[in-house]
Amino acid sequence: QVQLVESGGGLVQAGGSLRLSCAASGTIFSINTMGWYRQAPGKQRELVGSIIDGWKTNYADSVKGRFAISRDNDKNTIYLQMNSLKPEDTAAYYCRMRQEGKDYWGQGTQVTVSS
């Protein structure tokens, strides 16, 4: 009923930037509450940042000041702008949407930061 597709990942050198996109399709009521997560090999999935009620944002301490979430309601898309990337940011990045009390996840997009 709901599909999320991430894109924009790739290989970048430390200090560089990337912008990830998450496009939602299907039966979408709103994209007011969505979040970005990441998971590195052998590690637990962690919250990177989220947008709640359409405007309130929250970020993990490790990315605060470097990453920013934005959204485009007309395109049912949220973005994750990543600046000053570090090798520690290397992970698969996932988009999540909450709708009617259920969570929906995308398949992820890989971000690799070289030193």
Side-chain angles (χ1 to χ4, degrees), residues 8-80:
L11 175 65
V12 65
Q13 290 187 325
S17 299
L18 284 174
R19 188 179 74 159
L20 306 184
S21 299
C22 174
S25 62
T27 305
I28 307 299
F29 302 138
S30 76
I31 56 169
N32 285 343
T33 302
M34 301 185 73
W36 284 99
Y37 294 74
R38 67 185 181 187
Q39 186 169 22
K43 296 185 177 181
Q44 299 181 88
R45 186 171 297 185
E46 64 176 349
L47 175 67
V48 175
S50 62
I51 182 166
I52 303 171
D53 296 332
W55 69 278
K56 291 179 288 187
T57 55
N58 183 61
Y59 300 96
D61 288 341
S62 60
V63 307
K64 194 172 298 181
R66 299 188 297 119
F67 292 9
I69 293 173
S70 61
R71 68 190 183 107
D72 186 336
N73 284 345
D74 292 337
K75 297 180 179 180
N76 280 340
T77 300
I78 64 167
Y79 304 93
L80 180 66

Side-chain angles (χ1 to χ4, degrees), residues 87-102:
E88 306 92 89
D89 296 319
T90 296
Y93 284 71
Y94 299 87
C95 174
R96 179 189 68 85
M97 183 184 76
R98 186 173 181 85
Q99 182 170 277
E100 294 186 307
K102 295 184 178 181

